[in-house]
Amino acid sequence: MRMKKTYEDMNRSDYLIEHREEVSQSTFCKVFCDTASAYPEETAVYCEGQSITYKELLAWAEASAHKLIDAGLQREEIVAIRTGRTIETIAGILGIWKAGGAYVYLDKAYPPRREAAILQECGCRFVLDKEWWQDVPKVHNLLPLDLSQNQGLALLIYTSGSTSRPKGVMLEHKNVIASMYDFQIFGVKKGDHYGIFPGLGFVAAISDIFSGLAVGAAAYIIPGHVRKSIDALVEYYKAHTIHISFLPPHMARKLLAMDFKDLKELPLCLLLVGSEPVRNLNTAPFSIFNVYGASEMCSMIAHYEISGSPSDGFYPVGKINPWLKGYLVGENGLPVAPGEPGELWLAGPQVSRGYYNLPELTKSHYIPNPFSREPGYERVFKTNDILKDVGNGNLLYVCRKDNVYKIRGFRVENTAVEYAILQCAPVKEVAAKAFMDEGGCNVLCAYFTADEKLDVKAIKERLRERIPYYMVPSCLIQLDSFPRNLNGKIDRKAIEAPKELNDHKLLEKLY
């Protein structure tokens, strides 16, 4: 598989592919050390006017690892990172790994209560912030250090959970290595400039950053203010000769709405689109892939090259990664007939350890593989995603098995939103539901009943203090009563979208 604009083949990426079986038993730290040895003077990371070479990044990571070890860091101890979209964050991740620890990223967008809950649950003794880095030398004579292990804990990715409790997915080093190999499918090479768009606490950032750093590419961390404007993003792509980048569908549609002649002036070779269902993308002079993934699988599960308009509303998510085994399973736990929808179960090196401090939830989602005893495929992860085979090995995403929605690229459980609203206002009943607008974006709406007229703007303000921004509904609508089914329960299917759904600004203003 090749990008349309090609670069000369480089030995490092070829070596990784040829030695996959051996390297997959290793860790990213060991891969990075070899890459830094091969390309010491190549740019590794660029961020807002500052850059660092592979040699310099390795030295900084080594120094941070020594500081953590000297301070008494224990194996698999979780270290918090609070340095935002910076070079320090990347160096910190590598340093934590080399010291045998794991990391959790604290996004600046987190409300204080969410950050405090994560720090408390993880028992973080160390928080890598700007102050922590002040005495970490960039140049030193410290001995090389690497305590990372293939099956050791590497990081926690937090997603929303029921009762709005953060839910940490435990990813191991073998999962990171597997994710790194997924992206070799796209031909990432030394010299490529990889534009890092996702939030660094979002699982897509893992594959974006480390697949490039494995082969000598440069990770260009796109600043937060640039991520909010398509015009600023286009200028950033041009100014920094970005060859590869990931975008959520709403940003991809804005980009591809540009005149084709203007698109040809972009240095992009490959655009990856994902995190929610993808449809209605214009053609471009570069390759476009729909990528489907999950935090529990350390990013990408399947990929599909987009060309033309989808035949059935949405583009397929494509073929499952070649080193995964996927099963579409019915309610009876048996594979469904060809073409029939079923829940996707997955086995292979990307299957994560489970949910942090949630053994019962882990037990329900991670089970022994009933379909294969092959070594490396002993466990399956039940995704809760319903997909169907549409031919040629391509899968089409249908829906979530439960009420979980993708909002702005994040998985949001309706029960978490409902619980937060119940905690913030004297409501009687509440139901959260997402509706897709004409542009293909999920819009989160919440409906409630109460004994008196409530100020929905005030409720939203209280919600922003309790839950992340992407979990705050775009509209809060007070009802006299809910529609009911025969059992007397709220009939969620009968709840209709507000008529202003496609006018987001008006929706926010009215509700």
Side-chain angles (χ1 to χ4, degrees), residues 11-88:
N11 291 335
R12 185 67 189 144
S13 51
D14 292 342
Y15 173 87
L16 290 175
I17 295 297
E18 292 173 7
H19 295 79
R20 181 183 174 276
E21 185 173 346
E22 172 190 346
V23 175
S24 64
Q25 303 301 314
S26 183
T27 69
F28 181 81
C29 290
K30 295 174 176 59
V31 171
F32 181 77
C33 286
D34 290 344
T35 305
S37 177
Y39 312 126
E41 303 305 325
E42 289 290 324
T43 296
V45 185
Y46 175 92
C47 181
E48 298 202 72
Q50 295 184 318
S51 63
I52 190 169
T53 66
Y54 274 80
K55 179 181 178 180
E56 292 168 337
L57 180 57
L58 178 58
W60 214 8
E62 293 276 14
S64 64
H66 276 276
K67 180 175 179 178
L68 288 168
I69 289 293
D70 291 344
L73 182 75
Q74 302 299 305
R75 183 169 299 282
E76 293 201 354
E77 183 173 353
I78 300 168
V79 180
I81 294 180
R82 196 197 283 134
T83 40
R85 302 177 66 79
T86 63
I87 295 174
E88 286 93 332

Side-chain angles (χ1 to χ4, degrees), residues 404-445:
V404 180
Y405 308 103
K406 280 289 185 75
I407 306 295
R408 302 181 186 180
F410 294 91
R411 282 171 54 177
V412 175
E413 294 182 19
N414 68 330
T415 51
V417 178
E418 292 164 4
Y419 181 85
I421 294 172
L422 288 167
Q423 297 299 303
C424 289
V427 304
K428 294 172 61 180
E429 291 184 297
V430 58
K433 186 175 180 178
F435 299 93
M436 187 172 289
D437 66 15
E438 291 179 350
C441 290
N442 276 336
V443 179
L444 185 61
C445 304

Side-chain angles (χ1 to χ4, degrees), residues 148-337:
S148 61
Q149 295 182 344
N150 181 257
Q151 297 188 35
L153 184 65
L155 69 146
L156 297 187
I157 291 286
Y158 270 88
T159 65
S160 63
S162 59
T163 69
S164 74
R165 175 187 175 182
K167 182 175 62 180
V169 177
M170 297 185 287
L171 295 172
E172 298 177 336
H173 284 281
K174 66 179 181 181
N175 305 141
V176 176
I177 283 284
S179 179
M180 177 198 81
Y181 269 108
D182 291 343
F183 275 61
Q184 303 312 313
I185 292 170
F186 301 121
V188 184
K189 295 287 189 294
K190 168 182 171 289
D192 283 340
H193 291 188
Y194 206 134
I196 310 300
F197 184 93
L200 301 191
F202 186 35
V203 73
I206 304 302
S207 45
D208 280 5
I209 293 168
F210 298 111
S211 62
L213 290 181
V215 297
Y220 277 68
I221 303 175
I222 301 172
H225 67 277
V226 173
R227 295 167 68 232
K228 297 177 181 178
S229 166
I230 191 63
D231 293 331
L233 186 64
V234 167
E235 290 306 311
Y236 187 91
Y237 285 167
K238 290 179 179 178
H240 300 292
T241 320
I242 301 300
H243 304 123
I244 308 165
S245 190
F246 168 92
L247 290 178
H250 71 280
M251 291 296 286
R253 279 189 292 272
K254 291 178 181 179
L255 176 69
L256 298 177
M258 293 172 54
D259 185 89
F260 192 83
K261 184 172 67 174
D262 294 330
L263 287 175
K264 290 181 69 175
E265 296 178 358
L266 290 177
L268 277 177
C269 305
L270 174 64
L271 179 65
L272 305 175
V273 185
S275 79
E276 54 191 31
V278 180
R279 66 176 183 177
N280 298 339
L281 294 182
N282 296 336
T283 56
F286 41 81
S287 295
I288 307 173
F289 278 83
N290 182 15
V291 291
Y292 161 67
S295 298
E296 292 87 347
M297 296 296 294
C298 200
S299 195
M300 191 176 73
I301 295 167
H303 60 281
Y304 176 80
E305 185 166 15
I306 291 173
S307 59
S309 300
S311 58
D312 191 25
F314 293 92
Y315 298 105
V317 297
K319 295 180 172 63
I320 290 178
N321 299 342
W323 27 83
L324 290 178
K325 293 184 184 295
Y327 315 94
L328 293 181
V329 180
E331 292 292 337
N332 59 2
L334 299 175
V336 299

